[in-house]
Amino acid sequence: MTSVVLVAKYDEAARKGEVEDWTSNDDIGAGFAGEVLSAAEYYRVEDRYVDFVRSLAMSCGVTEFVIRAAMVTKALPPWVPSLRSGVVVDLRTAMELVRRMLRIGDFSCVLCHDELSVSVETDFYLAVQADHAKLAGSAQRFDLHLYPADGWSWFELEDDAAVLGKLDHHRFLDHVRLSRGADEPIVLLERWANGPGGQRWHLVRGRDSLDWVMELPPGVALAALPDVRIRWVPRRGVVSEIGAELGDDEPVVVVARPQAEVGSVLEAVVLSGGAYQAEDADLPPGGELGWFAYPDISGAAGHSLAGVTSERNGEVDALWDTDLTLIR
């Protein structure tokens, strides 16, 4: 494999900002270099990008990709596959993912194969790693430009980074049972991708079943957080109480009361910028809401209270750090 290059519609003048050019579908209707970007023109260029990736994949003999380093910002439509590291998608699905990342950007991931890796980056760039001759040929065919991406790495791991180990299910469950009491529920964080759309918060009480932990698919990071205490207050007072107790700009998790039909799963909203300027529509439903400061997760990793679910052969394919940030 060669080094990563950036692929884009921009010529050198547009890339340097000497000529105005659009960078996303949000620019439809705006004027650039004396012309208004129409929806038809946007879709024409979007098709060039998708056709370029498809052509390059076929040239490299690639028929499927492995998903890596997924980021999900919100709930996704049913056709989108589970964006966990290690999930394999066919070429058709991969092209649909590329198109959605270009057009909407509610998730991102790296599509990986030994012969070709590709991701959608900001400002309508692709980052691509493939045989340079094949890459250059496909780019020329679809009138796209190549630019060096010096030092680019999708999966950079700092030298002092602490990596999350394999989840020992039985030890984990024993520690969770010991950490909670009949009247002291415990909060668990399940994460399969980076971003608020790639996680679920659970509230587990003394007699609640933990069978679902054993059924989690591989590549999921799970952490028990016994130090978290949810404070329940009337809805109308939750924002003011957070501001008084925590400050306006500290990240906070706001949750609704768990419903019996969804088991331990909490309907949760993470206010990453704090409760400052949070509107009622930003909060979960319900007349009573709970809140807690976004926890320091790294401490759980050293007490058998966090880990990554493994494949059937016992191997861990996904790479997470101890803050439950997905690396690869």
Side-chain angles (χ1 to χ4, degrees), residues 42 84 127 146 203 256:
Y42 167 81
R84 290 181 289 105
L146 305 182
L203 184 64

Side-chain angles (χ1 to χ4, degrees), residues 6-172:
L6 296 177
V7 182
K9 61 189 177 70
Y10 314 112
D11 61 17
E12 193 64 37
R15 178 172 163 80
K16 291 180 177 179
E18 297 171 359
V19 177
E20 286 187 316
D21 207 340
W22 57 270
T23 59
S24 78
N25 73 332
D26 291 335
D27 292 329
I28 292 174
F32 298 89
E35 296 186 4
V36 175
L37 175 63
S38 66
E41 174 61 12
Y42 167 81
Y43 295 135
R44 186 185 71 81
V45 176
E46 182 187 86
D47 285 343
R48 275 169 50 201
Y49 275 62
V50 175
D51 290 343
F52 158 76
V53 178
R54 182 185 294 108
S55 171
L56 183 56
M58 295 175 67
S59 176
C60 294
V62 175
T63 59
E64 61 184 23
F65 291 89
V66 178
I67 290 174
R68 297 291 183 199
M71 164 76 79
V72 183
T73 60
K74 62 181 182 181
L76 299 174
W79 70 263
V80 178
S82 176
L83 294 178
R84 290 181 289 105
S85 271
V87 168
V88 177
V89 295
D90 61 22
L91 182 59
R92 179 179 178 180
T93 301
M95 295 308 96
E96 292 173 345
L97 295 179
V98 169
R99 186 179 298 280
R100 188 174 181 95
M101 286 189 282
L102 285 166
R103 185 181 301 181
I104 300 177
D106 48 2
F107 68 86
S108 64
C109 66
V110 186
L111 298 167
C112 295
H113 187 279
D114 288 345
E115 301 299 324
L116 169 64
S117 292
V118 60
S119 66
V120 175
E121 303 300 325
T122 57
D123 293 338
F124 231 70
Y125 281 89
L126 300 174
V128 181
Q129 187 175 35
D131 176 83
H132 188 76
K134 294 176 181 177
L135 202 163
S138 291
Q140 183 177 26
R141 179 182 174 190
F142 293 97
D143 193 24
L144 297 174
H145 302 272
L146 305 182
Y147 297 100
D150 297 334
W152 185 283
S153 175
W154 283 297
F155 314 120
E156 186 172 0
L157 182 63
E158 297 180 3
D159 293 338
D160 59 349
V163 177
L164 199 60
K166 181 173 73 173
L167 184 72
D168 184 326
H169 286 82
H170 297 290
R171 192 174 182 186
F172 176 84

